[in-house]
Amino acid sequence: MRLRKGVIVAASAALLLAAGCSGTGQPESAASGGGGEGTYGYNFTVVTHGAAGDTFWDVVKKGSEKAGTDLGDTVTYRDSNGDPTKQAQLIDAAVNEKVDGLVVSMANPDALKASIEKAVAAGIPVITINSGQDKSKEFGALAHVGQDEVIAGRGAGEQLKAAGVTKSLCVIQEAGNIGLEQRCQGFAEGLGGTVENLQVENSNPSGAQATIKSKLQSDPSINGILTLGPVIGAVAIKAVDESGSTAKLATFDLNADVTQAIADGKMLFAVDQQQYVQGYLPIVMLTLYKSNLNTVGGGQPVLTGPGYVTQQNAAQVKDLAAQGTR
């Protein structure tokens, strides 16, 4: 998987350099910039369902902005704090600004359908990321960059099953997020045992910790927990300790607390969808499309995961996370 992803990124970069040298359809700034590298000058907007200051989305933002710097594009990053109405409004605003391209995450696809279709109708290329893969092509997007959440959940289930887990919680931190529901669906398939979905709020970590702790205390037969985000993953560690449970713990996605817990053996693994790539690669893809009408993926999603951070590679990933790229 990592080799395949490396090939995709390398191929994209090679195509981009070729486009910069071809003189085909590129802006004047690129044509006069020594092959176009770093001087494309497009104006792209990234609109996500993330929240400002969220460690996951901060990495997505950093990836998209770094791609803009590397290519000479202007990248404006806007988050909607999990509010699909606000996210639709931000997409509409970008369309009115006549941006050169849009990158959109779709945790609630149906709420964004009209806005994305409006962008496509206006001739603005759209690439979806992270969530909403199943609706991406239907809404007219060029491609989707992310991981298949059912497959990722299934892989997590298989790994916890191999660790001896037979009854587990699947902790959902954002109501209505289709990607999180798909993770739990795949997890149940992969585990093959008993899975109970538990709803908490990402914005209330202490409340989530209390809810998980209470569940473990009321049902000692629960011997596994899968959290679907790093904030809740970190507090789940405390919930396990405080409840006296021996439940084995894994999570989706990374932050400093999660990588340290894996290194210390307090968490088995994290499912890594490489969110830096989800920020960086769509800017490359939009630049390829605008400058040379290249597309990536052949109508299939460009997969950035699932990869796995385990005790064997946690120290290396921790060093990269300190740089804000993991």
Side-chain angles (χ1 to χ4, degrees):
M1 178 61 74
R2 291 192 180 277
L3 177 60
R4 180 184 174 193
K5 287 180 287 193
V7 170
I8 290 173
V9 175
S12 298
L15 283 170
L16 189 54
L17 291 175
C21 295
S22 70
T24 304
Q26 56 187 330
E28 183 64 28
S29 59
S32 61
E37 185 177 1
T39 57
Y40 279 87
Y42 295 116
N43 181 23
F44 300 134
T45 294
V46 180
V47 184
T48 77
H49 63 276
D54 182 287
T55 53
F56 178 91
W57 291 104
D58 281 351
V59 176
V60 176
K61 179 181 180 182
K62 188 164 187 174
S64 64
E65 291 177 342
K66 182 62 165 63
T69 299
D70 289 349
L71 301 172
D73 295 327
T74 298
V75 175
T76 302
Y77 181 93
R78 295 171 176 165
D79 48 53
S80 59
N81 200 28
D83 182 344
T85 300
K86 179 181 178 182
Q87 190 177 8
Q89 292 170 345
L90 291 172
I91 295 169
D92 292 341
V95 172
N96 292 336
E97 293 165 8
K98 299 181 180 179
V99 297
D100 294 313
L102 270 165
V103 179
V104 180
S105 67
M106 297 198 303
N108 295 275
D110 292 342
L112 307 181
K113 182 175 187 290
S115 295
I116 291 173
E117 289 180 343
K118 179 181 176 182
V120 173
I124 297 173
V126 177
I127 292 178
T128 59
I129 64 169
N130 186 260
S131 299
Q133 172 186 313
D134 295 344
K135 298 287 187 177
S136 179
K137 187 175 182 180
E138 177 186 333
F139 291 178
L142 289 179
H144 180 83
V145 178
Q147 70 180 0
D148 186 302
E149 302 292 11
V150 175
I151 291 175
R154 192 177 298 137
E158 290 168 351
Q159 292 208 36
L160 283 177
K161 179 180 180 179
V165 173
T166 55
K167 185 174 185 179
S168 181
L169 300 175
C170 187
V171 186
I172 300 175
Q173 76 273 15
E174 184 181 331
N177 186 323
I178 188 172
L180 301 185
E181 295 170 1
Q182 290 171 336
R183 289 177 181 180
C184 285
Q185 173 193 334
F187 177 57
E189 294 172 2
L191 186 69
T194 302
V195 174
E196 178 182 347
N197 292 357
L198 183 66
Q199 183 70 53
V200 299
E201 292 297 329
N202 205 53
S203 59
N204 184 12
S206 60
Q209 180 179 329
T211 299
I212 297 168
K213 175 182 175 181
S214 175
K215 194 69 182 177
L216 293 173
Q217 288 176 329
S218 65
D219 187 354
S221 67
I222 295 172
N223 61 354
I225 302 173
L226 178 68
T227 60
L228 305 185
V231 173
I232 305 304
V235 299
I237 299 168
K238 298 177 182 177
V240 170
D241 288 341
E242 293 176 359
S243 67
S245 172
T246 58
K248 295 176 180 177
L249 178 62
T251 191
F252 273 74
D253 305 326
L254 299 170
N255 64 13
D257 291 335
V258 165
T259 22
Q260 188 62 57
I262 295 170
D264 293 342
K266 294 182 178 181
M267 182 179 285
L268 292 183
F269 62 86
V271 182
D272 182 19
Q273 61 179 301
Q274 301 189 119
Q275 68 268 34
Y276 185 83
V277 181
Q278 292 179 16
Y280 194 102
L281 189 56
I283 303 303
V284 177
M285 293 165 68
L286 284 174
T287 303
L288 280 168
Y289 182 78
K290 291 293 293 185
S291 64
N292 207 46
L293 287 181
N294 292 122
T295 58
V296 178
Q300 299 299 312
V302 178
L303 299 181
T304 64
Y308 299 94
V309 176
T310 66
Q311 197 168 25
Q312 283 66 46
N313 61 1
Q316 292 173 297
V317 172
K318 181 183 176 184
D319 290 341
L320 293 169
Q323 302 173 30
T325 60
R326 292 300 296 267

